[in-house]
Amino acid sequence: MKQYYLQTKDEVLKEFKTSTDGLSTGQAKENLAKYGKNALVEGKKKTAFQVFLEQFKDLMVIILIIAAVISAFTGDLESTLVIIAVLILNAILGTVQHVKAEKSLESLKSLSSPSAKVLRNGEKIEIDSKDVVPGDIMLLEAGDMVTADGRILDNYSLQVNESSLTGESTNIDKADVDFNHEIPLGDRLNMVYSGSLVTYGRANVLVTGTGMNTEIGKIASLMNETKERRTPLQVSLDKFSSKLATAILIICAIVLGLQIWRGQPIMDALLFAVALAVAAIPEALSSIVTIVQAMGTQKMAKENAIIKHLAAVESLGSVSVICSDKTGTLTQNKMTVEDIYIGGEVLKPEQLDLGNQLHRYLLYDAVLNNDSSLKDGKSIGDPTESALLEMYRKVPGIDLGNNQLGLSESDLRGLLTRQQEVPFDSDRKLMSTKHLIHTVPTIFVKGAIDVLLDRCDNIRIGDKVRPITDEDRKKILAQNEHFSENGLRVLTFAYKEKDEDLTPETEHGFTFIGLVSEMDPPREESVEAVARAKKAGIRTVMITGDHKVTAVAIAKKIGIFNDGDIAVTGLELDKMSDEELEQKIEKISVYARVSPENKIRIVNAWQKKDKIVSMTGDGVNDSPALKKADIGVAMGITGTEVSKDAASMILADDNFATIIKAVANGRTVFENIKSAIITVLFASIGGFSVPFIAVQLLFINLVTDSLPALAIGMEPGASDILDRKPRDPKVGILDKSLITKVTLQGIIISVGVITAFMIGRQTSAAVACTMAFSTLTFARLLHGFNCRSQHSIFKIGFKNNWYSLAAFAVGTLLLALILFVPGLHSLFAVTPLTNTQLLWIGFLAFMPTVLIQIIKIVQESK
């Protein structure tokens, strides 16, 4: 990409065959055809049909399809139809959730589609930003979004916030200057870049790059090259499904061989093997996991966390490191006055005294020598100046008599009108205005201490003005250094009472008033959220484009940076070898002035340590790392389109505390998914011993698996969910202790089912199968209560999850319909039962739950 900042204005105008009057309509059309639309190219998205087909790329699903085909050939059409219906339902569920997530993203994108003002045929017009082309003269003023890269032609005190591109939260003073050597992007003062925001002044800019040929486009290309990682649950489920499917195939093959060896007809043997496969495969598993995740996304959406990728819901529960952006996420993204050094003491805005004339002069200077405004709670203009107006509004006793400070800032400005001004510029580092204060011509000035303090001849303490001494200067500079060490931005205020023309040449001979320090303060909830994350075993790391001193100061206030921790800059990180970074990474809490490549390297280094990493960000420069992280979290308010595309989750409120809430929800979702899977697996173990027909097995699996499992998916999180350490992603869903518990409890249910079968055989084979089918169905509906928690039902109760009772009631009703409605008897191959047989079913189904609950009560008492 050509470096236009190294060319003069005339050279750039000549290269693009344009003039300061802009392109003609014809030239604009030619350039649009040549360079294309001014838009970032998105990766090719899957169609809904492609997503639907992908739902069938699973070994267990393939086994079921084979089972359905065999059932069709053996004449068991009902089983075939039921299996196909189940598979299609599961595929539809996955597809709908994917499409829904994409629609949520599109609605967020629609919030940020800016227009642009350009010169065409010498006239100022407003066009869609997508129609801006290289060679256009773009007109920028305060409040505009920069929609393309460009070389500044005419500059009028332009200030630009480039945080979406560089991550740096401070505004950049632009200038019409020439460079003859290569410099970093952040220092290219004669250029503006797409995605930046104009915060002050205005400028005419020659567009040099659009779409993917912008600096933002370069980062978008880097993001497209970064591959997304699979979530821990996806990995665990794939391993689990693969092992289960392999075991089922081996068992079915052995059974088929034995049946043929015993002389059974091949078709009968195949039908038995199909029934066994259908019994063993938890058909509802993927649907249940999908539905539980979907319910989790709905809950998170209510708490301002929009989940883009469904699988990310559970991954949040495994997060062990959160790499968080500073500005707007951990902080308020709003400059605020912290401390004021005035009259030799440090005060808060609320401590300013309107009866003190020195304090009043500071407020006059802050309000009158200021171009920003506050409307409906929103600041318009430079954030640093807006903070001064907020400071003014905090002063108590604002309605004091005749000092004119009982007025709003706009009324005060109307009364004490600005007679002359010299706007701020990056060379002088000052801003001055002239007013008539109590009939006295007065000039107010504010600016950088290194410039303004040398222009002060006097100092005011209370009502007295005296010459400023070297000792005064030392105290002022010491206080400024103290503010700076704590990450505060400092403005110096002074004035002089003199009737003279206000020009840059007359900006001297001032009387020092005081220093005002500002910062972007931490969100109140960030401190608690970081503490909660720490308690949950989650390490929070700050990654920012801001300066190291500022970043460390904020990190200390929030609780991220502690004694013994390290802070490094992007340049320092570049000098580290991978081995050195690996040794130091667990001690580094703050990364400052980082590049997109730095962010990817940090995420990768944590992942090499087998950590599940969440990365937050709002700019295009964050996007590659958002995609690289296990959970990329984009900002919904300040986030760019590309960052939202790269992320797995979007924070609608840009709040770090929302991430911690989402982690708690993620842990709850995993616990619920695990409990649901356990619920599903019990039947596979309990159903092997009885030769049910395929339709009965599908009813057992779908009804008695799905209903309790979905109810468990609505289980609220445990109160101590964030007191636990993050789960190890390398440990599968089912560990040895869990497999043992599943097997033993499955055997208990199996004993009841076999007993029912034996009792039924005393009457007939049909009664035996009906009693076994009914006992297994009813036992598993009851077993849903056991799977809700590791605690007994007496401890957790029913009030916090009425869905479990509803699932049990619906399942029982469906079983009753099968047993008591004659029209369903033939479909499910059941026969009428006596009252005694029904009582046996109830007793044998109820006993396993009684035994399991007794075991839990005994364990709780220890």
Side-chain angles (χ1 to χ4, degrees), residues 296-310:
T297 66
Q298 297 303 313
K299 184 176 181 182
M300 290 184 191
K302 292 177 183 176
E303 295 183 354
N304 294 314
I306 298 171
I307 302 297
K308 182 186 166 192
H309 300 310
L310 197 57

Side-chain angles (χ1 to χ4, degrees), residues 13 115 338 353 387 433 524 572 692 770 811:
L13 285 166
S115 57
E338 290 290 311
D353 180 8
T433 57
E524 291 180 9
E572 291 168 342
F692 301 117
T770 302

Side-chain angles (χ1 to χ4, degrees), residues 664 668 671-672 715-724 789-791:
T668 300
E671 291 296 319
N672 291 347
E715 195 75 24
S719 57
D720 64 345
I721 195 77
L722 281 178
D723 294 341
R724 309 170 194 172
S789 169
Q790 59 187 357
H791 300 295

Side-chain angles (χ1 to χ4, degrees), residues 449-759:
I449 192 169
D450 57 328
V451 175
L452 185 51
L453 190 59
D454 290 338
R455 301 183 185 218
C456 290
D457 298 337
N458 302 303
I459 185 171
R460 182 163 190 153
I461 305 293
D463 293 338
K464 295 181 180 179
V465 176
R466 61 171 173 79
I468 192 168
T469 65
D470 289 341
E471 187 63 27
D472 291 328
R473 294 181 192 277
K474 285 181 182 178
K475 286 181 180 179
I476 293 168
L477 290 171
Q479 187 61 53
N480 175 70
E481 187 175 352
H482 175 73
F483 283 152
S484 298
E485 286 174 350
N486 285 278
L488 297 169
R489 190 183 303 174
V490 184
L491 280 174
T492 309
F493 290 78
Y495 79 103
K496 66 177 176 179
E497 294 176 337
K498 193 169 184 179
D499 190 6
E500 62 182 7
D501 279 341
L502 177 55
T503 66
E505 289 71 30
T506 60
E507 287 181 316
H508 55 77
F510 292 108
T511 297
F512 177 82
I513 298 175
L515 305 176
V516 173
S517 65
E518 298 183 6
M519 75 181 304
D520 178 10
R523 289 177 180 264
E524 291 180 9
E525 57 271 36
S526 291
V527 179
E528 182 186 352
V530 169
R532 288 182 71 197
K534 189 174 183 179
K535 190 176 181 182
I538 301 169
R539 175 72 182 277
T540 306
V541 176
M542 180 188 289
I543 301 180
T544 178
D546 215 334
H547 294 279
K548 186 196 283 190
V549 172
T550 305
V552 170
I554 293 291
K556 284 180 178 178
K557 284 178 177 284
I558 295 173
I560 291 175
F561 193 93
N562 301 298
D563 292 340
D565 286 354
I566 302 172
V568 300
T569 64
L571 289 175
E572 291 168 342
L573 184 60
D574 287 335
K575 294 175 184 177
M576 285 187 194
S577 65
D578 289 342
E579 291 75 20
E580 190 179 357
L581 177 59
E582 188 176 343
Q583 291 173 359
K584 292 183 177 181
I585 193 165
E586 294 189 0
K587 281 289 182 183
I588 303 174
S589 293
V590 172
Y591 297 87
R593 308 294 278 178
V594 291
S595 67
E597 290 81 5
N598 291 149
K599 294 179 182 181
I600 288 181
R601 191 178 176 204
I602 295 163
V603 171
N604 191 52
W606 277 113
Q607 288 174 338
K608 282 183 178 178
K609 288 187 169 286
D610 294 323
K611 302 293 185 182
I612 301 298
V613 183
S614 173
M615 171 78 192
T616 75
D618 57 2
V620 175
N621 65 316
D622 297 313
S623 300
L626 289 175
K627 193 172 182 180
K628 172 68 176 170
D630 297 281
I631 299 292
V633 181
M635 304 297 111
I637 299 173
T638 59
T640 58
E641 290 186 20
V642 181
S643 68
K644 291 171 188 174
D645 270 336
S648 308
M649 183 172 87
I650 298 167
L651 297 184
D653 58 357
D654 289 13
N655 193 338
F656 179 83
T658 301
I659 302 174
I660 305 305
K661 290 179 187 176
V663 168
N665 279 331
R667 291 189 178 186
T668 300
V669 167
F670 176 76
E671 291 296 319
N672 291 347
I673 287 173
K674 189 168 72 172
S675 298
I677 290 171
I678 293 168
T679 308
V680 170
L681 290 180
F682 277 119
S684 299
I685 295 168
F688 276 128
S689 58
V690 183
F692 301 117
I693 67 167
V695 172
Q696 288 177 337
L697 289 168
L698 283 169
F699 176 83
I700 292 168
N701 284 357
L702 292 175
V703 174
T704 65
D705 293 350
S706 302
L707 291 176
L710 291 177
I712 287 168
M714 299 300 290
E715 195 75 24
S719 57
D720 64 345
I721 195 77
L722 281 178
D723 294 341
R724 309 170 194 172
K725 298 298 180 186
R727 72 180 182 87
D728 186 347
K730 291 186 290 185
V731 176
I733 295 171
L734 300 175
D735 53 27
K736 289 182 180 178
S737 63
L738 204 53
I739 290 173
T740 303
K741 186 165 71 171
V742 167
T743 305
L744 289 175
Q745 294 183 7
I747 289 171
I748 292 172
I749 294 175
S750 297
V751 169
V753 175
I754 293 168
T755 303
F757 183 77
M758 299 305 293
I759 292 171

Side-chain angles (χ1 to χ4, degrees), residues 14 36 69 126 203 293 345 354 356 395 405 443 510 538 559 561 586 605 632 696 738 766 785:
K14 185 177 180 181
V69 172
E126 188 166 331
Q293 288 175 329
E345 58 183 342
L354 290 173
N356 185 315
V395 177
L405 288 176
I443 294 171
F510 292 108
I538 301 169
F561 193 93
E586 294 189 0
Q696 288 177 337
L738 204 53
F785 297 120

Side-chain angles (χ1 to χ4, degrees), residues 7 138 155 168 188 228 233 253 261 330 336 374 381 423 448 459 519 563 603 638 641 682 742 806 841:
Q7 293 183 327
M138 185 165 53
N155 178 57
E168 185 177 347
R188 297 171 191 171
E228 295 184 56
L233 181 64
W261 180 72
L330 291 167
T336 304
L374 299 175
I459 185 171
M519 75 181 304
D563 292 340
V603 171
T638 59
E641 290 186 20
F682 277 119
V742 167
I841 290 170

